[in-house]
Amino acid sequence: AYNVCLGDPIEFSDSSIVPSSTVMSYRWWFGDGDSSDLSQPLHTYQKDGTYPVKLRITTAYNCDYDTTGGVTVYPVPVAGFKTDPDQGTIVNPGIQISDLSMGADMVLYDLGDGTFSSMRNLANNYPDSGVFKLSQTAWNIYGCRDTFYKTISIRYLFVFNTPTAFSPNHDGINDVFAPGGIGYGKYSMWIYNRWGELIYQTDEGKGWDGTYAGEPVMTDVYAVRYKVKDFKGRNHYYSATFTLLR
């Protein structure tokens, strides 16, 4: 008896022994309406199920001999999954993966970042930007399997904005001078007055409250320089001017 997964070809072979004669011809019936005259035919079934197989050989003495057997064709699962979203960012790198497979008793994901999971539904946070090829391999109890592939991307995202003015008058609105944006952590900032004197400096990403040596500075235009490290570890440098209003 033969066992095979749907879609896989089977090679049939004759093992007949004919004393004092030779086999002159073969006739195979595969049980699905197809037949062959080859000695070792290759056949692929189109549906799962159990099929009776019959072989008839004809010897040089024109004698016919029949033998029968069977083939069991097992169903194949259908792999599949969806991702939400299909594109993330380095700031929001989480991708939700939902199983859409059918007829599977077990699944295994290759998440494209060097990690694997046998959970059917999961969330994965990608460690960096890039394009990632995901796959799901689905098996059933017969050992038949199918694989589905999908590509997602994580965009590199870096935005850095510096204010043009602020008003440190303790009204709870725009009291601290600090940049904004996404895709970075701490930054270094240097602030200078109109005479080029350094009046504020931080390496911890802390905003300026408009004071120097503990005293409020006057309304004026000030210069600022930044060194910003993004999430990929690259440094960015900016300079600008801004107005302090009281």
Side-chain angles (χ1 to χ4, degrees):
Y2 293 86
N3 297 323
V4 69
C5 295
L6 181 64
D8 291 342
I10 308 174
E11 184 178 20
F12 294 92
S13 60
D14 172 39
S15 58
S16 303
I17 300 175
V18 183
S20 304
S21 186
T22 57
V23 178
M24 300 301 294
S25 66
Y26 300 85
R27 184 67 171 177
W28 295 86
W29 290 271
F30 302 120
D32 61 351
D34 286 348
S35 60
S36 175
D37 294 329
L38 300 176
S39 61
Q40 291 183 293
L42 201 65
H43 185 67
T44 303
Y45 288 90
Q46 302 303 312
K47 294 181 180 180
D48 60 274
T50 301
Y51 297 89
V53 178
K54 179 179 178 180
L55 169 63
R56 175 174 294 168
I57 60 172
T58 302
T59 69
Y61 296 118
N62 204 31
C63 295
D64 293 336
Y65 298 92
D66 292 349
T67 185
T68 59
V71 172
T72 299
V73 181
Y74 295 126
V76 175
V78 178
F81 62 91
K82 67 177 181 178
T83 54
D84 183 29
D86 292 334
Q87 183 183 86
T89 68
I90 198 170
V91 178
N92 296 299
I95 301 294
Q96 185 71 40
I97 302 168
S98 301
D99 177 37
L100 297 177
S101 65
M102 295 183 291
D105 296 297
M106 183 180 74
V107 301
L108 179 66
Y109 291 98
D110 180 342
L111 299 173
D113 60 354
T115 63
F116 300 82
S117 177
S118 59
M119 297 177 61
R120 288 184 177 264
N121 302 292
L122 68 151
N124 191 45
N125 288 319
Y126 285 84
D128 200 354
S129 59
V131 176
F132 300 88
K133 185 177 182 180
L134 286 67
S135 69
Q136 180 204 68
T137 301
W139 287 271
N140 61 18
I141 58 174
Y142 306 112
C144 302
R145 68 181 185 178
D146 182 40
T147 303
F148 177 79
Y149 299 92
K150 185 174 183 180
T151 298
I152 61 100
S153 62
I154 303 297
R155 289 193 302 117
Y156 172 67
L157 199 59
F158 176 79
V159 177
F160 187 81
N161 297 312
T162 182
T164 57
F166 84 119
S167 55
N169 52 14
H170 306 292
D171 63 354
I173 302 174
N174 205 20
D175 283 331
V176 176
F177 180 84
I182 53 177
Y184 64 91
K186 293 181 180 179
Y187 57 87
S188 297
M189 179 171 68
W190 299 264
I191 295 176
Y192 303 87
N193 61 22
R194 65 168 53 247
W195 298 282
E197 180 183 8
L198 178 65
I199 60 174
Y200 182 74
Q201 190 269 331
T202 179
D203 292 318
E204 301 297 322
K206 183 179 179 181
W208 180 46
D209 62 1
T211 63
Y212 176 56
E215 296 294 329
V217 300
M218 64 181 181
T219 295
D220 207 343
V221 175
Y222 295 82
V224 60
R225 290 193 304 112
Y226 299 100
K227 176 184 176 182
V228 188
K229 180 172 289 189
D230 64 28
F231 286 163
K232 296 180 81 69
R234 296 182 296 197
N235 289 321
H236 302 256
Y237 300 89
Y238 299 94
S239 60
T241 59
F242 65 93
T243 301
L244 184 152
L245 302 171
R246 292 200 182 275

